[in-house]
Amino acid sequence: MTADLVSPHPLARGVSRPGRVPRRGREKLVEQSPGPGSPVAPLWASLVDVLRAIDGPSSALLATVDGDAVAVHGLTQDDIARVARQSRAAFAARAAGGPDPEHAVDTVELTMGMCHTVIASVPSAGERHLLTVSAQGVSVQVLEAWTRRLADDIHLALTGPA
């Protein structure tokens, strides 16, 4: 009897620890922050600091729902569009209901082996963003709570106090 090989989680491909060569070759990891005048810049910097402190591979992407990258950490250039597209598809596949999509942050959690991914839908003035954070070496509960809090902070930074 033979078993099919288990393919890695599609959002985990290309995820690499800083200072290591990405699994798919020698592609350079992208580090793109929001512009210096962006209200999201200090929040993104704190996210990157925490991800670098995790003892395991990690990555993050803040993108518009159309797939335009706003900020990137730990992904290759080729992975950015794929992760944005898969994040949008994973979020769209969730069950209907839940928080008001126009005013509240909502999340989807994915786990493959020891790697966890949390995708947060972040409403903002006139546009919605998706924050995708993947990490190994942290529990999914901690990653979800932490990503949700960051998404709430990004929401407030982009829309101002309610």
Side-chain angles (χ1 to χ4, degrees):
M1 181 152 100
T2 62
D4 292 333
L5 293 176
V6 176
S7 61
H9 189 280
L11 295 177
R13 277 192 0 208
V15 174
S16 182
R17 190 173 182 181
R20 294 171 118 181
V21 176
R23 286 189 278 172
R24 294 190 329 161
R26 298 194 179 272
E27 295 176 80
K28 184 178 179 186
L29 297 178
V30 176
E31 294 296 326
Q32 173 185 329
S33 297
S38 170
V40 177
L43 298 168
W44 186 260
S46 70
L47 167 66
V48 170
D49 288 344
V50 170
L51 290 177
R52 286 184 177 148
I54 292 174
D55 189 28
S58 62
S59 66
L61 174 65
L62 178 63
T64 65
V65 291
D66 295 331
D68 297 325
V70 175
V72 181
H73 169 74
L75 294 171
T76 65
Q77 188 64 46
D78 291 341
D79 287 334
I80 294 171
R82 180 185 51 77
V83 169
R85 183 177 57 254
Q86 290 173 334
S87 295
R88 186 174 57 240
F91 205 88
R94 76 187 189 326
D100 175 4
E102 295 298 316
H103 301 99
V105 168
D106 196 7
T107 62
V108 173
E109 300 84 30
L110 306 168
T111 297
M112 180 62 155
M114 295 178 63
C115 186
H116 306 294
T117 300
V118 177
I119 306 163
S121 177
V122 183
S124 62
E127 189 168 27
R128 180 168 290 279
H129 293 80
L130 292 176
L131 172 63
T132 304
V133 181
S134 294
Q136 185 174 317
V138 64
S139 75
V140 70
Q141 295 87 356
V142 168
L143 189 64
E144 194 280 334
W146 178 60
T147 303
R148 180 179 289 277
R149 176 57 196 239
L150 180 63
D152 284 335
D153 291 346
I154 290 172
H155 168 72
L156 290 174
L158 294 174
T159 60

